[in-house]
Amino acid sequence: MAEVALAGGAGPDVNTAGNPTEMAMAYLQDETDGEIQDINLGELDLTTDEFILDEVDIHIQANLEDDLVKEALKTGVDLRQYSKQVESELQRIEQASIKDYIKESQNIALLHNQITACDSILERMEGMLSGFQCDLSSISSEIQTLQQQSVSMNVRLKNRQAVRSHLSQLVDELVVPGAMISTILDSPVTEQGFLEQLHELNNKINFAKELSFRETLACSDIQDIVDRLKLKAVSKIREFILQKIYSFRKPMTNYQIPQNTLLKYRFFYQFLLANERTVAKEIRDEYVDTMSKIYYSYFKSYSGRLLKVQYEEVADKDDLMGVEDTAKKGFFSKPSLKSRNTIFTVGQRGAILSPAELEGPILVPHTAQRGDSRYPYETLFRSQHYALLDNGCREFLFLSDFFMVTGNSALDLFNSIMGKTLSMFLKSMSTYVSDCYDSIAVFLCIHIILRFRAITVKRTIPALDKYWEAVLELLWPRFELILEMNIHSIRNTDPQKLGVLDTRPHYITRRYAEFSSAIVSINQTFTNEKTHTLLGQLQVEVENFVLKMAAEFPSRRNQLIFLINNYDMMLSVLMERAADDSKEVEGFQQLLLARTQEFIEEILSPPFGGMIAFVKEAEALMEKGQLDRLKNDEARITQLIRGFSSSWKQSVEAMSQDVMRSFTNFKNGTSIIQGALTQLIQYYHGFHKVLNQPSFRSLAVRSELINLHHLMVEVKKHKPNF
């Protein structure tokens, strides 16, 4: 192996460099020999200081594992001979490889030249790119410089624009255009152009005031012309508004039309108030004076004409609930009402509180006079105050809108206009109320005011609140006084002066029933405790009056008939208008039930009193266990049984007819008969129960008892049908 390597080391001469082909062959020969030499000698280096025999053994052992070595050892090949053979083979391969290199030498040289050319090209490109890089760095610095210049210019532009906007606004506000001057001087105030230029003039006046506070010199340049335009505008506006106010004074003028015109130009007063308060005050004072006179004149005339269509017959101090119809007056007294009962009956008068009539059209007096129509006081009161409500609400809204006032200022301005009219109303009402004895009319007026007050609250108009309170302070005490007078009249009534006694309902109780039902029905919407208290006192007096009148009858039976008829009548009238759960209804229901039960016992007593007394006595002894004490009353029992059997039908028939004749209300009479027959059956059932006791089972007369079921069937035949 070493010999092969040494033999292969002989290569071509290095001096053969003149020919490229020879240079390549020599180079390849040297490279090949060097590789072989490195391989062989590197593996068999025996002169190294680090050589260790153990490693040699390992190396030899590893070579022995080689397949070729194994094969050579197995076949017994001579290694020297085999080494020479391998060396010769390597030389042959080397020569062939050299030939291949020589064959491609031209291409290799060409490739070398091409690589050299590429290197030069790449070197030039590198130079160009370096130049580009230097240029780009300089451009970037220039861009940064331009960007900084752009930002600086942008800031300067914004600053200049801001200054320009302020200056242009200042100049626009300072400049008084010719169109404004010509419009203010020459155009009528009703034109839209005048109103628009007036807005602009107002802005310039305000702007000039603002600049004068800042001591701006440019303000003095326009101050004179602005002042002269302001004076001209104030003069024209003053003349226009005063003409509209003076037009209110023309007879038969509908002042709402010029009011609506003024509202279209409400800015005129705002301009005056801001720039010429003296003229604004003059206009407001003139309006207040004019409208105050107009309202006072209108309502005074209207109220006077309304009184001409009032009913001529009105209640006086003698038309009270407890006054007898037969009372006579003095020679010089005015004639009494044709029917005193009408002042205690509400009838159709209560319809005035319905929404349709409450807010209906007001009365036209001359139309009513032509038709010869007459109305109660509350109808005139409603018409008068609805006109006040309607005009007052509209006036308050106009004042708040046109004169730009709110709160107490608006109320003060309203009172300065309507105060005289409201005082006139209160004075005339006080005069009427002081001589009024029609309690229902006063009470209806109270509830008209309560409802009108609710309407103003809903409309959020507080202008008339104090007036409503003043009216109520007049009406409530008068109503209470009239009611107390009626209470005293009933309390002081002498039954012996009321004419012939009659078991039918008394006219005083009928008056009370009609009056109480009217007041209760009206009072249900706006309840008042004082009213309930007075009605309670009146009810007590009426109950006492009924008892006093009943005491005038000699028999208890007639007393009960009188009480039941009056209680039933009052209850029927109350239930038509009042709620079923009202105190008045509940009170009379209890009284009627108690007196009816007593009357049933009273009418059963004559025909069936013996049996009833026996049943009550026997039931009392049964509870004590002493029923044997009646064993000796066989004759009494026999008489009771036979007497009942022979006469009960005639007695029931007579009782039914008597009841129906005694009571004016057939429905009530029917109820009493049914109650009496029911009570009779219960007593007879108790009679049966007593006779079924051991003490009486041996009585032979028990066979004559009427069957209870048969009795019930027969009793139903006598039940009246109405």
Side-chain angles (χ1 to χ4, degrees):
M1 296 284 296
E3 292 176 0
V4 174
L6 294 174
D13 188 0
V14 295
N15 294 323
T16 60
N19 189 355
T21 302
E22 293 178 354
M23 289 176 61
M25 291 178 63
Y27 174 77
L28 293 174
Q29 182 65 38
D30 292 339
E31 290 293 327
T32 304
D33 293 343
E35 290 177 359
I36 296 173
Q37 183 178 2
D38 290 341
I39 293 171
N40 293 331
L41 293 178
E43 294 179 354
L44 300 176
D45 188 5
L46 300 178
T47 61
T48 177
D49 294 336
E50 297 180 357
F51 185 75
I52 300 174
L53 292 178
D54 292 339
E55 293 180 356
V56 172
D57 291 340
I58 294 172
H59 186 71
I60 293 173
Q61 187 64 32
N63 288 332
L64 290 177
E65 296 295 329
D66 187 82
D67 292 338
L68 293 176
V69 175
K70 286 182 178 181
E71 183 66 25
L73 292 175
K74 182 184 286 187
T75 55
V77 177
D78 187 357
L79 293 178
R80 292 184 179 87
Q81 186 65 32
Y82 185 74
S83 175
K84 291 179 180 181
Q85 183 180 350
V86 170
E87 184 177 356
S88 62
E89 184 68 22
L90 290 173
Q91 290 178 354
R92 186 182 61 78
I93 293 171
E94 179 183 0
Q95 292 297 323
S97 176
I98 291 172
K99 290 179 181 181
D100 289 337
Y101 278 117
I102 293 172
K103 184 179 178 180
E104 296 295 330
S105 61
Q106 294 295 329
N107 293 333
I108 293 172
L110 180 61
L111 179 62
H112 178 73
N113 293 332
Q114 290 176 348
I115 290 172
T116 304
C118 287
D119 286 343
S120 63
I121 293 171
L122 290 175
E123 183 177 1
R124 289 197 304 273
M125 289 182 65
E126 182 181 6
M128 291 173 62
L129 290 176
S130 299
F132 287 156
Q133 185 176 7
C134 294
D135 294 340
L136 287 175
S137 62
S138 63
I139 290 173
S140 176
S141 63
E142 291 177 0
I143 289 175
Q144 289 179 355
T145 303
L146 291 174
Q147 184 177 8
Q148 293 175 356
Q149 293 176 354
S150 175
V151 171
S152 176
M153 292 174 66
N154 189 32
V155 171
R156 290 197 299 272
L157 176 62
K158 288 182 178 180
N159 292 336
R160 290 177 181 178
Q161 287 177 342
V163 172
R164 179 182 178 182
S165 64
H166 288 295
L167 288 177
S168 62
Q169 182 179 359
L170 177 64
V171 171
D172 291 340
E173 293 291 345
L174 288 174
V175 171
V176 180
M180 176 185 292
I181 297 173
S182 61
T183 302
I184 296 295
L185 294 178
D186 302 329
S187 297
V189 296
T190 54
E191 289 187 1
Q192 183 65 25
F194 181 87
L195 185 62
E196 294 175 356
Q197 293 300 330
L198 189 66
H199 278 279
E200 292 296 328
L201 177 60
N202 189 56
N203 293 334
K204 291 186 182 299
I205 293 172
N206 294 332
F207 189 71
K209 290 179 181 178
E210 182 180 351
L211 291 181
S212 64
F213 292 141
R214 300 178 184 176
E215 298 180 355
T216 304
L217 296 178
C219 178
S220 59
D221 296 339
I222 65 165
Q223 191 66 49
D224 181 59
I225 188 170
V226 168
D227 289 341
R228 284 188 288 171
L229 285 176
K230 180 182 73 172
L231 291 176
K232 183 63 177 178
V234 167
S235 175
K236 295 177 71 172
I237 291 172
R238 175 184 176 276
E239 181 180 359
F240 170 75
I241 296 179
L242 288 179
Q243 285 179 354
K244 291 298 178 183
I245 294 175
Y246 293 152
S247 67
F248 294 168
R249 303 175 180 178
K250 296 179 181 179
M252 307 300 293
T253 299
N254 183 358
Y255 59 86
Q256 296 175 10
I257 295 176
Q259 274 186 340
N260 293 334
T261 303
L262 288 177
L263 286 177
K264 291 171 58 178
Y265 302 102
R266 63 175 63 88
F267 180 72
F268 287 174
Y269 184 80
Q270 181 180 347
F271 180 83
L272 295 178
L273 194 64
N275 300 289
E276 198 63 49
R277 287 186 173 271
T278 304
V279 177
K281 184 178 184 303
E282 177 191 2
I283 288 177
R284 191 169 84 164
D285 293 343
E286 190 66 33
Y287 179 84
V288 168
D289 181 66
T290 300
M291 292 308 296
S292 176
K293 292 177 180 178
I294 289 175
Y295 280 125
Y296 180 78
S297 175
Y298 166 73
F299 280 108
K300 183 178 181 181
S301 173
Y302 183 67
S303 301
R305 284 180 287 151
L306 278 180
L307 292 177
K308 294 180 181 180
V309 296
Q310 184 182 0
Y311 280 132
E312 295 180 358
E313 291 185 343
V314 294
D316 60 17
K317 62 182 179 179
D318 295 319
D319 294 317
L320 299 175
M321 197 176 296
V323 175
E324 60 274 14
D325 282 341
T326 58
K328 296 181 179 179
K329 296 189 177 183
F331 181 76
F332 296 102
S333 300
K334 65 178 181 179
S336 178
L337 290 175
K338 293 179 180 179
S339 177
R340 184 175 281 109
N341 289 333
T342 56
I343 65 173
F344 303 107
T345 305
V346 68
Q348 296 299 320
R349 298 167 69 182
I352 196 70
L353 298 178
S354 65
E357 291 199 26
L358 188 69
E359 300 183 51
I362 62 175
L363 290 177
V364 181
H366 64 271
T367 304
Q369 284 180 310
R370 284 203 302 264
D372 200 22
S373 300
R374 291 292 182 268
Y375 301 94
Y377 177 75
E378 64 272 8
T379 301
L380 310 181
F381 181 88
R382 195 281 317 175
S383 184
Q384 182 186 44
H385 281 81
Y386 188 68
L388 175 65
L389 168 70
D390 192 36
N391 285 276
C393 290
R394 185 181 291 108
E395 186 64 30
F396 182 80
L397 292 175
F398 173 81
L399 296 175
S400 300
D401 197 0
F402 185 78
F403 291 104
M404 298 179 298
V405 288
T406 57
N408 292 330
S409 300
L411 294 177
D412 293 340
L413 184 59
F414 178 84
N415 289 329
S416 63
I417 294 175
M418 300 296 294
K420 191 176 179 182
T421 301
L422 298 180
S423 298
M424 182 263 294
F425 271 18
L426 291 174
K427 184 177 179 180
S428 62
M429 197 179 310
S430 177
T431 303
Y432 170 80
V433 166
S434 63
D435 195 36
C436 176
Y437 295 90
D438 188 352
S439 54
I440 290 182
V442 175
F443 198 62
L444 285 172
C445 291
I446 290 173
H447 278 265
I448 288 171
I449 293 298
L450 291 174
R451 283 160 173 77
F452 282 167
R453 184 172 65 179
I455 291 174
T456 55
V457 170
K458 185 178 180 180
R459 295 180 183 179
T460 63
I461 305 294
L464 293 170
D465 288 352
K466 291 184 178 180
Y467 174 74
W468 301 139
E469 294 299 329
V471 173
L472 292 176
E473 288 175 1
L474 280 175
L475 296 177
W476 272 120
R478 188 63 188 178
F479 173 73
E480 294 169 2
L481 176 62
I482 300 173
L483 207 53
E484 289 173 353
M485 292 173 64
N486 282 285
I487 292 172
H488 288 299
S489 70
I490 295 177
R491 182 183 302 156
N492 299 328
T493 299
D494 186 357
Q496 295 181 355
K497 295 181 180 180
L498 298 180
V500 181
L501 292 176
D502 192 345
T503 58
R504 291 175 297 180
H506 199 274
Y507 58 81
I508 290 181
T509 58
R510 183 172 293 279
R511 292 175 187 170
Y512 162 77
E514 294 287 352
F515 176 78
S516 181
S517 64
I519 298 301
V520 170
S521 62
I522 295 171
N523 198 49
Q524 286 176 349
T525 306
F526 293 88
T527 58
N528 180 268
E529 289 302 322
K530 183 66 174 178
T531 304
H532 285 303
T533 303
L534 292 173
L535 285 179
Q537 295 176 10
L538 182 61
Q539 181 178 351
V540 170
E541 295 301 330
V542 170
E543 292 175 5
N544 293 335
F545 165 76
V546 173
L547 293 176
K548 287 193 296 184
M549 286 297 300
E552 296 294 317
F553 291 92
S555 66
R556 182 58 181 168
R557 181 178 178 279
N558 286 337
Q559 292 178 1
L560 292 173
I561 293 174
F562 177 80
L563 291 173
I564 291 172
N565 275 329
N566 281 274
Y567 291 153
D568 177 65
M569 182 273 298
M570 290 187 286
L571 186 61
S572 300
V573 175
L574 282 170
M575 292 183 67
E576 288 180 2
R577 297 183 180 275
D580 293 342
D581 58 349
S582 64
K583 294 180 180 179
E584 293 79 9
V585 171
E586 291 179 354
F588 284 115
Q589 282 177 339
Q590 295 174 2
L591 291 172
L592 178 62
L593 181 62
R595 298 290 79 81
T596 300
Q597 194 62 37
E598 184 180 352
F599 180 76
I600 289 173
E601 296 291 338
E602 187 71 23
I603 62 174
L604 289 177
S605 180
F608 309 108
M611 182 189 68
I612 294 172
F614 177 80
V615 170
K616 291 181 178 179
E617 182 182 358
E619 288 178 347
L621 292 174
M622 285 173 61
E623 291 180 0
K624 298 177 182 180
Q626 300 174 0
L627 190 60
D628 292 340
R629 294 173 57 181
L630 296 177
K631 279 186 176 182
N632 299 325
D633 288 347
E634 182 177 352
R636 179 186 175 189
I637 295 172
T638 302
Q639 182 182 0
L640 290 175
I641 293 175
R642 291 174 179 174
F644 182 85
S645 300
S646 61
S647 63
W648 74 270
K649 290 185 179 181
Q650 295 83 355
S651 300
V652 168
E653 184 68 30
M655 182 178 64
S656 299
Q657 294 177 1
D658 183 42
V659 168
M660 298 310 296
R661 285 194 302 268
S662 300
F663 297 100
T664 55
N665 186 349
F666 287 149
K667 184 178 179 181
N668 185 41
T670 302
S671 176
I672 292 174
I673 293 173
Q674 291 178 356
L677 295 177
T678 302
Q679 189 66 31
L680 175 61
I681 291 174
Q682 290 179 355
Y683 280 131
Y684 198 70
H685 179 264
F687 191 53
H688 266 265
K689 185 177 179 182
V690 171
L691 295 182
N692 284 332
Q693 297 299 316
S695 301
F696 304 105
R697 287 178 182 174
S698 60
L699 295 177
V701 76
R702 289 181 67 251
S703 61
E704 299 181 24
L705 283 170
I706 299 176
N707 182 271
L708 187 61
H709 180 69
H710 176 70
L711 178 63
M712 293 174 63
V713 174
E714 291 296 325
V715 163
K716 287 183 179 180
K717 296 179 182 179
H718 292 80
K719 183 186 299 184
N721 296 315
F722 292 100

